[in-house]
Structures are given as C-alpha cells and as structure tokens.
Amino acid sequence: MTGILAHVTAGPPINHADGVLAHAVALPPARHAAAGILAHGVGSRHDLPIPLFYAFAGAFAALFVSFLGLALLWADSRFRGGTAGRPVRLPEGARTRWALRIIGLAGAAFTAAWMLLGPGDPGRNPAAHLVYVVLWTGLIPASLLLGPVWRLLNPLRTIHLLLGGRDRGPAPFGYRPAALGLTAFAWMELVSPAPAAPATPAVFLTLYGAAHLAAAFRYGTRWFDRADAFEVYSALIGRLSPLGRRDDGRLVLRNPLDGLDGLRPAPGLVAVVCVLLGTTGYDGFSDSPWWVNLLQTGPLGRTVTGTLGLLTAIGLVAALYRACTAAAGLIGRAGRVRNGAAVPVPSGGAGDAAGGGDGATGRNGATGGEDAAGGVGVTGGRGMARMFAHSLVPVAVGYLIAHYFSLLVIEGQRAVILSFGLDRTVDPDVVGPGAIASVQVLAIVIGHVLGVVTAHDRSVRLFPPDRAVAGQIPLLVLMVCYTVGGLILLFAA
C-alpha cells in the first residue's frame, strides 16, 4: 500500500508520526523511489507514548500472563461456535438486501468510471484511493462491526444473480483461489511497476471479475463463498464481529470468539491467513533502507526483487506456523485425540465464515459440503494446521488494524476529496502520533492475546487433559515470534 500513495499525492511533505504517506515532490530519482516505498509503522521512537522496551515488555507480559491464567483456570472448552448467541432483530429482508446490492453495484460503477474516464494523473484521479483505501482498508472496520458485509455488496455476486446464476452446490478447491487472489492483489498493490496508475487496478479488476464470473457460472453461486478474495477477507474479519448467525439461521449478538470458533477447517484456509500476515509484514518492512537500496540497485530489478520478497515473507509466515502446529500435535499426542474420539469439528453451520451466513448482512448460507475435507478426523501434520488456523485470524486482524488505521483515517479524506471534487485539504493531524502508536501497539497485542485464547480453547478440546497445556507451548512460541516481528516492523518504520 505504501508504494502507491507517494505517487498519488501532491504538495509539501507531511511528517506524520506513522510514516503514512510521502508526497511526490521534486526529488532526485533515488530519493523519489525511496519516498515511494514508505510503510505505516509508528516511525521515530520519539513520537511514541512509551519507550520501545516497555512496549515489548507489556506485550510479552500480556502473552505469558494470559497463557498461565488459561492453563490454570480454563480446563475445558468454553466456546460454542454456531450454537452461541442471543437473538436480535435488525432489518434484513429482501429490500435491505437489494439496497445493499445496489450500493455495491453503484460503487463499482463509480470506481470503474474514474478508472476508464478520469484523468491519467493519479494526483487528480481517486481510483487508487477507492480501491486501496476505501475498499481494502474500509472493509476492516465494516466487517468487524457488521460481519461479512462484502457478501451483499459484492458486485460480482449481484451480476451473477441478475444474469440467472444458480446454486450448484459446494464449489471445489476450498479457499485456495482466495489465497491466490489475495496474493495477486498484494502484488499489484506493493510490487507492480505503476500501482497508482488508474489502468493498473482497472486491468486487474477486469481480469479478476471475468475469471470469477466464469467460475461462478461453472460451479454455482457458492464459488464466491471461498474463492472470492474480498469476500473471504471480509468474512474472516467478520468472524470477530459481535453480530453473527447461529446454526439455526438466527441473527444473534455473540461473543466474537464464539464466532471465531465456528470457522470450519477447510483446504486453503491456512494459506489465506498466512497470505494476509505475510503480505502485511512485507508492506511493513518494504521501506527499510536496506530493502529500498536492494530494490534500486539489485541485479534482478525492482519488480522481480519485490516479487521474491513478497513470496518469501508469505513463505516464512507459513513455514513458522506449520512447524509450530506440527510440534503442538506431537507434544499433545495429536494421534490420540481426547477421549479417543474423532477430532471435533467446530460448529459453523449457517455461520460459516466464507459461506456467507455470518453477520448482520448474511442469511442462512450454505454450510459448504466440503468443510470436512481435510478437517474432520485429521489429527496430524496438515490437519493440525487447519484445526488451529482460526487462531491466526485475530493476529492477522490486529496486524491489519495496526498497519492501516492511520492510512484509512488520513488518506480516506483524500479519497472523498478527489472523488467529489471538494474544495478542501487533507488534515494530517486528525489523529496525533500518540493515538496512532497506542492503536497500533494495542491492536497487535490484543490480536495475539486473542490468538492465545482461541488456541488454548481448541487445545483442551483436541488433546488429552494431561497434554493440553504442554501442546500449547509451540503455539505460544509462535505468538511470541509474530508479536516480536509485528512490533519491530512498527517501531523500525
């Protein structure tokens, strides 16, 4: 994301505490390239409300205290997944659903008009902001509050419906197409030669839309449930929404961790959360001086080097996660699941994350018949990784909030100004550096603590009582590693 905004703004530079944006002023080529690769880290430690040492100390204390407290006080699984929640009544009839669909189509048409008919100068065309800021970062708070909102806003799903698309049952491939889509979007955003040029998102979204519509007509409506990158992105974040649906289809207020517990293991789910973590991490370190210098002077060129760096970041996150879950399975005697029963599958039912039944805007969607594939009864290796994949969701959401909070608040203003031609300027001081730093650190720490809690609850459900706590130690190590990495990226930027 950061490699874009430097090329789409104009005016004097803004020295914002989190390094949110750099302005394309007249700089020598090397300095201009470096300015185009800024990250959303906290920036100078002098801007932080607490010293670096205390940030790390507080994070580690939160993780270890929560781990010890859970080990002593939480002996049995407490989350109820798709059976939890207190019913509520909110507008969710056909009129509401069609109103949201029309809003999604109108937003897509508005963005497409700017891409195709607007000026080629990114400083006067809001297309990049509409895609990278309004869509990508805006879905984070919207999904946290309301659940998987993109299911009804998704213009591709609406077009498929209007053209007579039908439900042909569960689609194949699990979440794998979504993982590929998220990787491709991140590549366009962070690595492609001209991410801010209106033609770049126009070409990407045209090819993306055509491919998914063709697949939806081949496999049916449920293709979007797990294959559409933006639906899966919104649905996973929406798992932490207080609004959700029980297995019986009722809209309920719930403990967000019950919603997370209802996420059913499926092929490709681990890949999706690792892509979210890895791409966000790459965005965080891509402004480091050594990396900027490598991009500028490396023998492979900026695009090839950036592509390799992006894939390496994703691979490292995935390798660490798989190693720790494999160790957890060995220590917890994964081959001997609790009470000799098959691995219990989280109750998801109508509330399946990518099945679209979760949240205020979903209905009693399909449960996804292949949910069990690779999840039910699998207790070693790959199956164990899938069973704990839900514990990475709050970690990923914490990173997303920390990384994009200031981007949405500040550059969201520019998106509105450019879109409607307002005679206003962006206020870079709408949030101070102390507030930004606090949100970033708290988001990462809270995300990791929730990851520890969800992993513990799943461990006591899976492992024999005498091995449940020991089996979590590799997962605690995993959370510590991710916490260290996240805070280092924020402070180093």
Side-chain angles (χ1 to χ4, degrees), residues 148-322:
V149 292
W150 192 247
R151 176 177 171 83
L152 284 181
L153 293 173
N154 187 355
L156 297 180
R157 186 183 284 272
T158 302
I159 292 172
H160 180 258
L161 177 64
L162 292 174
L163 294 179
R166 294 180 298 172
D167 183 359
R168 300 178 184 273
F173 312 121
Y175 289 98
R176 296 185 186 100
L180 292 175
L182 289 168
T183 303
F185 181 83
W187 183 90
M188 173 186 69
E189 175 191 15
L190 303 173
V191 179
S192 64
T200 300
V203 171
F204 173 84
L205 292 175
T206 298
L207 295 175
Y208 180 90
H212 279 277
L213 283 174
F217 281 110
R218 168 64 178 84
Y219 296 110
T221 304
R222 294 194 216 179
W223 169 264
F224 297 108
D225 295 349
R226 292 186 172 172
D228 187 305
F230 301 104
E231 273 206 20
V232 172
Y233 173 69
S234 173
L236 288 180
I237 297 172
R239 279 287 166 181
L240 290 169
S241 170
L243 283 173
R245 287 190 184 277
R246 293 191 311 214
D247 290 347
D248 60 8
R250 297 288 300 274
L251 185 65
V252 296
L253 281 175
R254 66 185 182 190
N255 177 350
L257 297 184
D258 279 318
L260 197 59
D261 185 66
L263 178 60
R264 302 172 72 90
L269 179 59
V270 173
V272 168
V273 291
C274 288
V275 165
L276 288 176
L277 284 169
T279 55
T280 306
Y282 175 81
D283 197 358
F285 77 75
S286 61
D287 74 318
S288 302
W290 67 273
W291 184 252
V292 173
N293 181 67
L294 182 61
L295 290 175
Q296 294 173 350
T297 62
L300 298 178
R302 180 185 181 278
T303 302
V304 174
T305 303
T307 301
L308 293 176
L310 181 67
L311 295 178
T312 299
I314 297 171
L316 288 175
V317 169
L320 180 60
Y321 173 72
R322 288 197 175 274

Side-chain angles (χ1 to χ4, degrees), residues 364-464:
N364 189 3
T367 60
E370 86 280 18
D371 281 341
V376 181
V378 179
T379 59
R382 183 176 301 175
M384 190 57 59
R386 290 175 186 164
M387 293 303 296
F388 284 98
H390 72 305
S391 67
L392 286 189
V393 174
V395 177
V397 172
Y399 276 122
L400 290 167
I401 294 173
H403 202 64
Y404 295 128
F405 166 69
S406 54
L407 180 76
L408 179 62
V409 171
I410 296 173
E411 288 303 317
Q413 300 175 60
R414 194 180 307 279
V416 175
I417 292 170
L418 292 176
S419 296
F420 300 102
L422 303 179
D423 186 20
R424 301 188 61 180
T425 58
V426 174
D427 179 9
D429 299 318
V430 64
V431 287
I436 292 173
S438 299
V439 168
Q440 291 178 317
V441 173
L442 286 174
I444 286 182
V445 173
I446 292 174
H448 286 79
V449 170
L450 293 181
V452 170
V453 172
T454 54
H456 174 87
D457 190 84
R458 185 60 53 85
S459 293
V460 298
R461 185 183 302 174
L462 292 178
F463 300 147

Side-chain angles (χ1 to χ4, degrees), residues 94 96-106 152-155 158 161:
T96 300
R97 298 166 64 78
W98 274 106
L100 292 172
R101 290 171 181 151
I102 292 172
I103 290 173
L105 279 177
L152 284 181
L153 293 173
N154 187 355
T158 302
L161 177 64

